[in-house]
Amino acid sequence: MAIDPLVSSLRIAGSGMQSQSTRLRVVSENIANAQSTGATGGADPYARKTITFETEFDRASGENLVQVKSIGVDKTPFRVDHLPGNPAADANGDVKMPNVDMLFELADMREANRSYEANLQVVKQSRQMLSETIDLMRT
């Protein structure tokens, strides 16, 4: 078990912030590549990335921390648009488009932001409580 619950809360919140930062990076890649087609006719476009988390028990501190388990590739089929003039079009004029749903990515980005902010509030509150404890000990 951790020596100090406030220090423990800082470590736990820090692991949450780090995981949500990685989640935000994955969402950013998906949004940035939402229109990235294949380089040649009929080639596969950008495939949406996914992220999963897991709990990791830290034996040294006795804390359950969150970490990124894996960054994978979404197996959802690619959307096909008829764009005959596009360099990525096949013989029929069809272009495979990324399987990125902008509405879903924006919602995921908002959720990552809210989770990050919640963990940041834990860090701020813990730091304030530690500071107040130190001030009390000085008097």
Side-chain angles (χ1 to χ4, degrees):
M1 180 132 175
I3 296 172
D4 184 349
L6 291 176
V7 174
S8 179
S9 66
L10 285 169
R11 277 195 208 105
I12 294 166
S15 73
M17 290 171 65
Q18 186 173 13
S19 296
Q20 293 305 324
S21 294
T22 303
R23 179 182 181 188
L24 191 57
R25 181 185 59 81
V26 169
V27 169
S28 297
E29 287 180 30
N30 290 339
I31 291 172
N33 287 290
Q35 298 297 318
S36 297
T37 59
T40 60
D44 284 345
Y46 173 82
R48 178 181 176 269
K49 291 184 179 178
T50 60
I51 186 167
T52 56
F53 302 104
E54 69 180 354
T55 301
E56 176 189 357
F57 182 72
D58 182 20
R59 291 176 192 211
S61 63
E63 301 158 349
N64 285 315
L65 306 174
V66 65
Q67 71 175 14
V68 173
K69 180 178 181 181
S70 66
I71 296 176
V73 176
D74 189 351
K75 302 295 184 193
T76 304
F78 299 118
R79 187 178 83 239
V80 178
D81 289 346
H82 187 70
L83 303 168
N86 192 306
D90 62 13
N92 297 326
D94 293 331
V95 177
K96 291 181 185 177
M97 299 300 289
N99 55 355
V100 176
D101 179 347
M102 289 297 284
L103 188 59
F104 181 83
E105 297 302 326
L106 292 173
D108 203 22
M109 179 177 59
R110 174 171 273 189
E111 182 63 30
N113 186 44
R114 286 182 177 164
S115 295
Y116 186 92
E117 286 177 357
N119 282 299
L120 185 58
Q121 282 304 114
V122 170
V123 169
K124 287 178 181 179
Q125 195 66 39
S126 296
R127 287 181 65 199
Q128 181 181 353
M129 291 172 74
L130 280 168
S131 178
E132 289 173 1
T133 302
I134 291 170
D135 289 345
L136 281 172
M137 293 174 134
R138 288 183 185 163
T139 57

